[in-house]
Amino acid sequence: MGRDVPELTFTREDRRRFRTKMHTCLDVFARMLRESRFDFERPQVGLEIELNLVDDAAEPALRSTDVLEQIADPAWSSELGRFNLEINIAPRRLIAGGPDSWEKEIRDALNHAEDKAAVGAHLVMIGILPTLEQKDVGLAALSENPRYHLLNEQIFSARGEDLLISVDGVERLRTYADTITPEAACTSTQFHLQVSPDEFAAYWNAAQAIAGVQVALAANSPFLFGRELWRETRVPLFEQATDTRPDEIKVQGVRPRVWFGERWITTVFDLFEENVRYFPALLPLCDDEDPQETLDRGGIPQLGELTLHNGTVYRWNRPVYAVVDGVPHLRVENRVLPAGPTVADILSNGAFYYGLTRTLVDEDRPVWSRMSFSVAEANLHAAARHGIDAQLYWPGMGEVPVTELVLRRLLPLAHRGLEQFGMDTAWREPLLGIIEQRCVNGRNGALWQSEMFHHIQDIDHTGRHEALRRMTGQYIDYMHLNAPAHTWPVD
């Protein structure tokens, strides 16, 4: 959930002050890491879900302001597009409340919002809304939140030219955009995991190593602007729609703001230091706090400039520093997955992620010591392109179908990790059973969308947009049933 900002025009002095404050924050953060001032004895997990708004015909509904007023709940917030919302599910212990408590909490929150939003708008959990057309993502669709207008101005000021969006998949899309609003097409699920400073690097490395596996299993974004592209088109779209670099800057090796990274890390400090070293500020807003003074007098600094800047570097696994009730903590924010298709699917994805990373962190020879970083990044893009049909590299197995990799190697590790967290078999089996059946059947949300779209076209000979609209309507019906997507029929 991004921080709100006022409507401003930035000066050269603002940028100079912000850079100085970021370096001060970085020094203070390094000192805090040395002095172990962090909460990690009772680690919690968290969840954010971004959603699309549609009207009764399953077309995009630019109603976020109205819907937020109707919901009237601080857990809900605006997102980049006026057809988006985000819910922030309250943090919790992973095994708190029993097997069904987290699912019930999420479904109750979504159902309440759906009831309140029923003023010509409905909520959809889907990676990219299939009925979204390019005419829907102009400047008029940009959220009223000043943060997003500032980001739009700063990104295009840095680029000096329109954005090129180019994706070659099942079909080909090549178009230009004069705002960052196409990024709003990307709606995600974000899993948070609180960790200790000493363990942060291991958990982040583990999350990077399995990013491709996660995306292959959970792909849910095969369509963009009416074209069938990658199984998780969200990945290339997000990488391109926030790119501040014109072509001449790209060839100089300047890093993109949507970034997998370039190396395994040894400490969380590596990531924040890279942010400061490689990326100019997009939102150079300075807080009044002097972090050095706050720390010297025994307080806990917010590190406002460092965290604001961190929120404008879009890592697929992002470090998070936060202060809650006067105590600082660190989290890994896992951002690779699309929203949906159902709450059951989302929680099974979470169980797989939390369990697998826990086991990988505890291995004597960590996977990241046996896999090059570039291979992990290649896995992510292969998974985004091919989805559950992807072939990925894994140490000791070579390049194998992702379904075989999960069934033979990774699913038992996920079970073991959840058991180490204290989750018993009766709880683990239904969650990881969904992952298992996805692999056994070779089916996920992206495959269902593609098959259903072609089925409607073949049977009823409808136009492309009408087939996408009808497919999306059927998707919404199944989403509300909460049956995992691998069970959805195509008829």
Side-chain angles (χ1 to χ4, degrees):
M1 190 177 294
R3 186 195 305 180
D4 288 347
V5 299
E7 197 164 356
L8 289 172
T9 300
F10 300 120
T11 66
R12 292 192 298 272
E13 175 64 15
D14 291 329
R15 295 186 179 281
R16 185 196 64 77
R17 287 187 62 238
F18 190 83
R19 176 178 284 109
T20 300
K21 284 289 295 289
M22 275 203 301
H23 282 280
T24 300
C25 286
L26 199 60
D27 291 341
V28 170
F29 183 56
R31 178 179 159 190
M32 293 177 70
L33 291 172
R34 291 194 301 270
E35 296 175 1
S36 301
R37 295 170 176 252
F38 291 84
D39 175 23
F40 54 85
E41 292 182 359
R42 293 175 59 83
Q44 298 190 84
V45 298
L47 173 64
E48 298 173 74
I49 306 171
E50 297 168 351
L51 302 99
N52 286 280
L53 291 170
V54 297
D55 60 19
D56 292 337
E59 302 282 4
L62 308 184
R63 301 289 303 277
S64 61
T65 301
D66 296 338
V67 171
L68 283 172
E69 289 177 355
Q70 292 294 320
I71 296 173
D73 184 335
W76 290 85
S77 64
S78 62
E79 261 296 322
L80 177 64
R82 294 177 60 203
F83 51 87
N84 300 141
L85 292 178
E86 180 181 78
I87 183 171
N88 191 351
I89 305 297
R92 59 184 287 125
R93 299 290 300 280
L94 182 60
I95 59 171
D100 301 320
S101 63
W102 209 14
E103 180 172 347
K104 183 178 186 305
E105 178 184 351
I106 298 167
R107 293 194 69 190
D108 286 350
L110 294 175
N111 289 338
H112 172 75
E114 172 71 18
D115 291 341
K116 290 291 185 180
V119 287
H122 306 279
L123 303 175
V124 189
M125 295 187 299
I126 194 167
I128 295 176
L129 183 65
T131 55
L132 194 70
E133 298 183 277
Q134 192 163 356
K135 66 180 177 60
D136 298 317
V137 294
L139 189 60
L142 194 63
S143 168
E144 296 174 12
N145 189 323
R147 169 190 172 88
Y148 301 117
H149 287 269
L150 279 170
L151 281 172
N152 185 64
E153 293 168 7
Q154 295 300 307
I155 286 174
F156 277 90
S157 176
R159 283 187 60 82
E161 62 188 45
D162 288 351
L163 287 162
L164 171 64
I165 297 172
S166 178
V167 186
D168 291 330
V170 177
E171 297 175 298
R172 187 169 188 261
L173 174 69
R174 183 180 174 88
T175 188
Y176 288 88
D178 58 4
T179 75
I180 61 170
T181 319
E183 183 201 334
C186 307
T187 53
S188 65
T189 299
Q190 296 150 32
F191 293 110
H192 292 253
L193 178 61
Q194 184 181 337
V195 297
S196 72
D198 288 345
E199 290 189 312
F200 186 96
Y203 272 100
W204 188 85
N205 288 342
Q208 293 284 97
I210 67 168
V213 177
Q214 288 182 273
V215 168
L217 294 178
N220 197 33
S221 313
F223 295 99
L224 174 64
F225 300 155
R227 305 286 179 86
E228 186 174 2
L229 301 169
W230 291 16
R231 288 307 190 219
E232 190 50 39
T233 305
R234 207 182 104 262
V235 168
L237 175 60
F238 193 42
E239 290 175 341
Q240 295 175 33
T242 54
D243 200 339
T244 58
R245 307 166 303 160
D247 288 344
E248 296 82 0
I249 298 299
K250 290 179 186 178
V251 299
Q252 294 176 38
V254 173
R255 281 80 174 171
R257 296 199 82 105
V258 176
W259 200 33
F260 188 77
E262 60 191 15
R263 60 180 176 132
W264 306 116
I265 64 169
T266 58
T267 170
V268 63
F269 185 82
D270 293 347
L271 301 179
F272 285 101
E273 190 275 334
E274 285 180 346
N275 288 354
V276 173
R277 180 154 46 102
Y278 291 144
F279 300 101
L282 289 180
L283 301 174
L285 292 164
C286 288
D287 287 354
D288 293 332
E289 179 188 62
D290 181 336
Q292 188 72 60
E293 180 185 5
T294 299
L295 191 62
D296 286 343
R297 60 178 167 78
I300 301 299
Q302 298 290 327
L303 305 182
E305 292 79 16
L306 194 67
T307 58
L308 177 60
H309 186 57
N310 184 54
T312 64
V313 179
Y314 305 100
R315 296 179 184 271
W316 293 109
N317 284 288
R318 176 188 278 167
V320 177
Y321 167 90
V323 181
V324 178
D325 297 328
V327 182
H329 71 255
L330 297 171
R331 304 194 303 270
V332 178
E333 181 187 10
N334 179 249
R335 301 161 48 84
V336 299
L337 293 186
T342 66
V343 174
D345 285 300
I346 287 174
L347 289 183
S348 68
N349 294 337
F352 181 74
Y353 166 70
Y354 291 129
L356 182 54
T357 53
R358 172 65 181 265
T359 301
L360 294 178
V361 162
D362 290 340
E363 286 186 323
D364 292 333
R365 288 192 63 209
V367 63
W368 54 93
S369 70
R370 297 176 283 128
M371 177 194 294
S372 74
F373 196 86
S374 61
V375 166
E377 183 174 16
N379 276 353
L380 173 65
H381 288 96
R385 181 182 288 273
H386 300 292
I388 205 161
D389 294 322
Q391 297 217 6
L392 306 182
Y393 175 85
W394 195 260
M397 297 183 72
E399 191 169 286
V400 293
V402 67
T403 52
E404 179 183 343
L405 169 61
V406 172
L407 290 173
R408 285 180 50 195
R409 181 70 60 87
L410 303 185
L411 201 57
L413 299 183
H415 271 283
R416 187 191 310 164
L418 292 180
E419 185 176 20
Q420 290 170 329
F421 273 121
M423 189 178 289
D424 63 28
T425 303
W427 193 345
R428 296 195 314 268
E429 286 293 346
L431 288 169
L432 295 182
I434 291 173
I435 301 295
E436 179 182 25
Q437 288 305 306
R438 264 190 230 160
C439 293
V440 169
N441 292 282
R443 302 189 60 76
N444 60 12
L447 188 64
W448 181 88
Q449 287 185 54
S450 175
E451 290 184 351
M452 191 66 182
F453 164 73
H454 291 292
H455 175 76
I456 292 170
Q457 279 202 313
D458 292 344
I459 297 299
D460 296 336
H461 306 291
T462 62
R464 175 175 286 255
H465 187 80
E466 175 63 13
L468 288 169
R469 190 191 67 79
R470 288 172 55 184
M471 179 270 286
T472 304
Q474 186 66 70
Y475 178 104
I476 294 169
D477 290 342
Y478 288 145
M479 179 191 77
H480 285 298
L481 293 175
N482 201 38
H486 70 268
T487 67
W488 294 4
V490 177
D491 54 30

